[in-house]
Amino acid sequence: MASDDIALLAEALSKTHVGDGELSYKGQGLKLDNAESVKELVREIEEYQGLRALRLEGNTVGVEAAQAIAKSLECKDQLQSCHWSDMFTGRLRSEIPTALRSLGSALMTAGARLRELDLSDNAFGPDGVKGIETLLKSSACHSLRELRLNNCGMGIGGGKILAAALTECHEQSSALGAPLKLKVFIAGRNRLENEGATALALAFQLMGSLEEVHMPQNGINHAGVTALATAMQHNPQLRVLNLNDNTFTKRGALAMAQALRHLRTVQVINFGDCLVRSEGAIALSAVLREGLPTLKELNVSFGEITEAAALVLAQAVQDKPHMEKLDLNGNCLGEEGCEALKETMDNMDRADILASLSDDEGEPDEEEENGREMKENGMKDERDNSVKPEPTCHPEVLSFLSSPTAETLLKLGDNRTGLIQQHVDVSDSDKAADAFLKISSLYCDDHEIKKAVLETINALLKKAFSGSSLQTYSFLSTLLVMLGLLKGEGKVKKVQVLPGHLLVLEHAVQQDYFPQDHASLLDTFVARHGKALKSCSSARDSLKSTLKRRISPEC
């Protein structure tokens, strides 16, 4: 080693932080190639009694240097925290696994019990994960609480290896009576995609101890998001969930909303740049209405959310006492929508929690919306389209629902409400909305027909509204799409709006089973997209008046 290099190393080591069981060489830019280059560093490690944390981040370590450092760690049984991010800059990718194996082997030899392992920003790919695989499976990681692997380029393969290692660690530690209880998992920018995320989700579900999950920018779409959502339900102490810059769409957003219903300690949700869209925003609004009591921050920025859905979401945070930030920037509100949102927050005395709207995308262009719908309708439908057996049902009911007429409705007799309830799965928002529209389309002035329609609708909606807010908000969201009041995703069957649809809806919102916040949701959309109902202007105006009275009885 040249004398100048030795002098530089000596100067760097003189700045080393020592204290509280921590030895830190953080950010010193050391180029450590061989055993000679780490001679002084090794000596300091060896002489440090009670070493609990070692910081090597911000330097570059070669294979031979790593092996020398590893040798000095073989007797450090009290070591708990390894801060080794950004430690291989300029090294060949093939070198990194060997270096990691040496360091991991030393920790196992020492009998260390790690609590923190940070290998972020090392870009080691799947092979790098193989380099820590044995360590992660070992007893040295049975006590692990925080695992940070941000920006490591793991890919799908690395994600699967990592998931398998964590699973084995949990199984082995559980067999010894002290199961792995990982609390913090960070793995953003790793190209995990659906397969990697799904594999990790299974490990997360098994552990059930996570408090923070950060997996932004991983190319995960609704399939992987749904798997993660299922896993999150099994982690009741979750406080922070960051999936920024993945792709939810409606299916992913609904799955995540369903998971959040079961979580009571969540404080921070970051679904920014996740294409949550308006239907997803409505689903999240439902969860906010009935849960998430400790929520402090919600980020749904850059999600193609339109004005009405943003207002519904804003109204849902009114009674969240711990709320500190609502981020709706970069959505599609338009200038008037931004002002309406600010006014809404101000009227609720919550203007201080609304983040900037400076990057709003403006109201969606009609041609762009139509183009997006055509593109999505042309995409492969990945939903489960298998034929499912229908419940036992009278042929007359099947005939009525396939081609509804007033005559066939009346022919069902006095038990029509029970028969139709038996056939329509109200937990399926598509089926419930479709049934509502078919039955309400028959509404007319004839007393017998009107009575049959309203009785059937009341029975159907009373059953539907006995479920969770998420279920009923999803029903209303689907109904809005079918009525042309909300842009939906995929193959959505819009109907020709008839006066009966709106008059029956007006009747429903006045009933005890119809919650006031649901009426407020409808009012928000009808008030802003009433042009879609211009063919039934009289019924529309009557509905608007009734909604106003329902949500503001003094009016």
Side-chain angles (χ1 to χ4, degrees):
M1 187 175 186
S3 58
D4 289 346
D5 292 336
I6 294 174
L8 288 171
L9 177 58
E11 181 184 355
L13 290 175
S14 69
K15 300 175 182 177
T16 300
H17 170 73
V18 180
D20 301 324
E22 178 181 284
L23 192 55
S24 176
Y25 304 92
K26 180 179 179 180
Q28 295 183 9
L30 302 176
K31 190 173 187 295
L32 308 173
D33 296 323
N34 49 43
E36 181 66 21
S37 69
V38 293
K39 187 175 180 180
E40 288 300 314
L41 186 151
V42 165
R43 181 184 61 77
E44 289 197 3
I45 292 174
E46 289 176 340
E47 293 179 355
Y48 198 108
Q49 300 300 311
L51 181 65
R52 292 196 298 273
L54 178 61
R55 308 194 77 106
L56 295 174
E57 64 264 53
N59 300 291
T60 176
V61 183
V63 172
E64 190 178 332
Q67 291 169 339
I69 294 171
K71 190 69 178 174
S72 71
L73 293 174
E74 288 182 352
C75 61
K76 300 300 177 182
D77 61 341
Q78 295 182 50
L79 187 61
Q80 297 179 354
S81 301
C82 297
H83 301 279
W84 296 346
S85 63
D86 190 20
M87 203 171 73
F88 298 109
T89 301
R91 302 295 170 181
L92 294 175
R93 191 161 168 173
S94 59
E95 293 181 80
I96 301 176
T98 304
L100 290 172
R101 286 191 186 95
S102 297
L103 293 165
S105 178
L107 296 174
M108 291 184 284
T109 299
R113 293 293 182 266
L114 295 184
R115 296 185 69 84
E116 297 178 73
L117 178 60
D118 186 357
L119 289 165
S120 299
D121 301 317
N122 279 314
F124 47 50
D127 289 339
V129 185
K130 292 179 182 177
I132 59 172
E133 181 180 10
T134 303
L135 171 64
L136 290 172
K137 292 178 179 179
S138 75
S139 59
C141 286
H142 287 183
S143 53
L144 197 63
R145 296 295 180 265
E146 299 185 15
L147 179 58
R148 303 170 189 270
L149 295 167
N150 203 56
N151 191 30
C152 288
M154 288 190 288
I156 294 172
K160 289 181 175 180
I161 295 168
L162 176 60
L166 290 173
T167 299
E168 183 167 333
C169 182
H170 185 271
E171 291 173 348
Q172 296 287 348
S173 58
S174 296
L176 295 173
L180 170 67
K181 293 183 179 179
L182 191 67
K183 293 184 177 181
V184 177
F185 179 84
I186 300 177
R189 300 183 66 188
N190 270 293
R191 304 194 308 275
L192 293 170
E193 300 182 19
N194 287 337
E195 290 184 60
T198 299
L200 285 166
L202 293 174
F204 296 163
Q205 184 169 330
L206 184 67
M207 291 185 289
S209 55
L210 290 167
E211 296 180 7
E212 291 189 31
V213 175
H214 301 262
M215 296 175 67
Q217 203 172 340
N218 268 297
I220 306 169
N221 66 28
H222 70 86
V225 170
T226 298
L228 289 171
T230 300
M232 293 307 106
Q233 292 187 47
H234 295 268
N235 288 266
Q237 300 306 312
L238 189 70
R239 293 183 296 104
V240 179
L241 181 57
N242 176 9
L243 294 175
N244 188 284
D245 200 7
N246 290 291
T247 307
F248 281 33
T249 60
K250 177 184 176 181
R251 281 172 281 179
L254 289 177
M256 197 55 72
Q258 180 64 39
L260 290 170
R261 286 186 59 230
H262 301 276
L263 300 172
R264 308 292 295 176
T265 61
V266 175
Q267 297 178 6
V268 178
I269 297 172
N270 187 343
F271 294 161
D273 206 10
C274 283
L275 217 59
V276 168
R277 291 186 174 150
S278 295
E279 289 176 280
I282 291 172
L284 290 174
S285 302
V287 180
L288 284 164
R289 289 282 187 182
E290 65 178 3
L292 297 173
T294 62
L295 190 65
K296 292 181 178 180
E297 296 183 21
L298 175 60
N299 182 349
V300 283
S301 59
F302 299 93
E304 292 190 2
I305 298 169
T306 53
E307 176 193 352
L311 292 174
V312 169
L313 190 63
Q315 291 161 4
V317 306
Q318 181 175 6
D319 297 323
K320 293 291 173 229
H322 305 291
M323 200 74 179
E324 297 173 359
K325 184 177 181 181
L326 173 63
D327 193 344
L328 281 159
N329 196 22
N331 282 295
C332 305
L333 311 185
E335 187 175 343
E336 291 184 3
C338 287
E339 290 304 315
L341 179 58
K342 291 175 183 177
E343 183 180 348
T344 295
M345 298 299 290
D346 191 48
N347 290 340
M348 298 189 302
D349 198 25
R350 304 304 301 270
D352 57 316
I353 70 171
L354 182 63
S356 168
L357 299 172
S358 60
D359 295 317
D360 186 72
E361 296 285 340
E363 292 183 74
D365 181 84
E366 192 69 28
E367 291 185 6
E368 288 180 3
E369 283 290 320
N370 292 337
R372 176 173 69 80
E373 285 185 9
M374 289 176 65
K375 180 180 178 181
E376 289 177 349
N377 288 341
M379 292 170 63
K380 180 181 177 182
D381 191 351
E382 299 177 20
R383 288 174 291 183
D384 180 8
N385 290 315
S386 57
V387 176
K388 299 177 182 177
E390 295 286 354
T392 304
C393 190
H394 291 262
E396 292 87 351
V397 178
L398 291 171
S399 175
F400 167 71
L401 289 172
S402 63
S403 183
T405 65
E407 182 181 2
T408 53
L409 177 63
L410 295 177
K411 279 186 176 180
L412 293 177
D414 293 338
N415 196 31
R416 67 178 71 87
T417 57
L419 291 174
I420 291 176
Q421 274 189 354
Q422 179 184 342
H423 185 76
V424 178
D425 179 6
V426 294
S427 66
D428 184 320
S429 61
D430 289 346
K431 290 181 179 179
D434 183 60
F436 174 89
L437 291 172
K438 284 179 175 178
I439 297 167
S440 61
S441 69
L442 306 177
Y443 184 88
C444 65
D445 290 332
D446 182 278
H447 175 74
E448 188 178 10
I449 296 173
K450 180 191 293 187
K451 182 173 182 289
V453 167
L454 295 181
E455 285 179 350
T456 306
I457 287 294
N458 282 339
L460 199 66
L461 292 190
K462 190 172 183 179
K463 182 179 178 181
F465 280 72
S466 66
S468 67
S469 288
L470 178 57
Q471 177 182 310
T472 51
Y473 267 52
S474 295
F475 161 71
L476 290 180
S477 177
T478 302
L479 188 63
L480 291 168
V481 172
M482 290 180 169
L483 290 172
L485 295 170
L486 172 64
K487 295 291 184 182
E489 289 184 15
K491 300 175 180 179
V492 179
K493 182 177 65 175
K494 294 181 181 177
V495 301
Q496 179 183 351
V497 182
L498 301 173
H501 293 144
L502 306 183
L503 293 172
V504 172
L505 192 54
E506 180 185 1
H507 163 82
V509 301
Q510 299 176 75
Q511 307 310 306
D512 291 339
Y513 60 71
F514 207 102
Q516 188 173 11
D517 62 286
H518 291 55
S520 179
L521 185 159
L522 279 178
D523 177 65
T524 300
F525 277 88
V526 173
R528 280 158 180 80
H529 301 288
K531 289 181 181 179
L533 307 175
K534 61 183 179 182
S535 62
C536 308
S537 57
S538 178
R540 175 198 64 193
D541 294 344
S542 182
L543 172 60
K544 288 172 70 173
S545 297
T546 298
L547 284 169
K548 290 297 183 187
R549 289 195 300 273
R550 179 72 173 83
I551 61 178
S552 301
E554 68 277 6
C555 293

